[in-house]
Amino acid sequence: MSTLLEVSDVVTCYGRIQALRGVSLRVEAGRVTCLLGPNGAGKTTLMMTVTGLLKPQSGDIAFMGKRIAGVSPSTIVKSGLALVPENRLVFKDMTVLENLDAGAITRTDRVKVREDRERLLDRFPRLRERAGQQAGTLSGGEQQMLAIARALMSNPSLLLMDEPSVGLAPLVVQEIFEVIAELKKDGVSIFLVEQNVHMALRVADHFYLMDHGRIAFDGDAQALAEDEVIRRAYLGDRR
Ligand code: ATP
């Protein structure tokens, strides 16, 4: 198994507030790694630090063996890491196709970009049907699909997803997880922030729990399901 992403003892602050207090974790190739944690735990801060949107105060981040801590977001995207941001931030005034093309902005292989776009429109037929529609007029689930497809347009080695199911109806959540399972089958490596543990348990191979800016649990699905604290807090176990 090869390590794609290695986060070592990372500290990230907002002014004087330490949001990440020495976080270390690994994401392996070909797997789905899931990051759980209560609101305010620091999950989004970690995603933003890994993608270069925030600069860590200390610690190291290596992606495919190269140091990326403090590197610009566009350089990080070019190196093969793409983020599906929280709250499905698509470009609302742009069409579905324009959104997809925006996802490939760092690529120069135009022919391959067109092929990839066709492939993604095959994978997400509802996006093909709505290719010329303004993204802001899509349903929440469709916008989430578009956000995922747009991130895939950069042809990433690792896809980061920040709470893709939040605020969506149960059936749509199921669809999103079906997409994640398909991507996994195709060999896409995924680092997923998720609060829906029941759904995450279906696709994820490895779990981290973050609490107050620190990693409080690190283990596989079985260890997670057996952990007392997690069972009570996340799986509705009242024993
Ligand atoms: P959620 O599940 O609610 O999205 P999270 O685990 O993603 O939460 P973060 O958004 O990373 O948590 O926030 C971690 C901590 O950093 C919180 O205490 C939050 O209040 C603080 N924080 C986040 N963004 C800022 C900011 N721009 N300025 C100051 N503090 C911030």
Side-chain angles (χ1 to χ4, degrees):
M1 214 172 344
S2 68
T3 302
L4 269 185
L5 177 71
E6 183 157 18
V7 175
S8 313
D9 210 14
V10 163
V11 174
T12 302
C13 303
Y14 297 102
R16 287 164 65 186
I17 300 168
Q18 264 197 2
L20 301 182
R21 301 162 182 247
V23 170
S24 299
L25 54 81
R26 279 165 185 264
V27 174
E28 308 288 349
R31 308 182 89 196
V32 176
T33 303
C34 180
L35 180 65
L36 306 166
N39 292 120
K43 307 178 300 294
T44 297
T45 303
L46 178 65
M47 290 290 168
M48 290 172 75
T49 306
V50 166
T51 49
L53 298 165
L54 288 172
K55 235 187 169 112
Q57 185 162 305
S58 59
D60 245 328
I61 307 172
F63 178 58
M64 297 172 83
K66 282 198 187 128
R67 281 198 66 196
I68 57 164
V71 170
S72 77
S74 64
T75 307
I76 292 176
V77 172
K78 267 191 214 149
S79 73
L81 207 152
L83 174 69
V84 182
E86 201 177 9
N87 300 322
R88 29 188 188 280
L89 294 175
V90 292
F91 301 116
K92 292 195 188 308
D93 297 334
M94 284 162 54
T95 66
V96 166
L97 280 189
E98 286 166 350
N99 266 275
L100 292 179
D101 288 343
I105 202 130
T106 57
R107 291 175 61 180
T108 50
D109 48 343
R110 301 323 297 176
V111 176
K112 184 79 187 4
V113 166
R114 289 221 142 228
E115 286 170 16
D116 285 351
R117 198 174 80 179
E118 278 309 301
R119 212 167 28 83
L120 282 170
L121 291 171
D122 287 342
R123 185 193 281 281
F124 298 99
R126 265 193 285 165
L127 294 184
R128 186 186 288 287
E129 283 165 25
R130 291 160 176 77
Q133 191 172 322
Q134 278 205 338
T137 64
L138 298 173
S139 73
E142 288 161 359
Q143 288 190 23
Q144 185 61 70
M145 298 292 180
L146 179 57
I148 295 170
R150 186 185 58 188
L152 289 170
M153 281 297 290
S154 69
N155 200 14
S157 302
L158 176 62
L159 188 64
L160 267 52
M161 303 174 98
D162 195 351
E163 301 207 43
S165 75
V166 81
L168 297 176
L171 270 179
V172 183
V173 171
Q174 216 156 341
E175 270 183 64
I176 300 286
F177 274 89
E178 276 160 23
V179 166
I180 295 172
E182 273 175 37
L183 292 173
K184 178 182 174 180
K185 230 193 281 168
D186 289 353
V188 180
S189 309
I190 297 171
F191 186 25
L192 169 74
V193 172
E194 186 53 63
Q195 305 252 25
N196 188 330
V197 183
H198 289 283
M199 294 305 283
L201 275 167
R202 295 193 190 176
V203 293
D205 304 285
H206 198 88
F207 291 85
Y208 289 97
L209 172 71
M210 188 181 269
D211 198 12
H212 290 98
R214 289 199 172 88
I215 298 296
F217 171 88
D218 167 5
D220 62 12
Q222 195 184 339
L224 182 87
E226 285 170 359
D227 188 280
E228 279 293 314
V229 177
I230 289 172
R231 283 216 329 229
R232 262 191 244 121
Y234 290 93
L235 298 171
D237 191 337
R238 308 224 173 273
R239 274 180 291 174

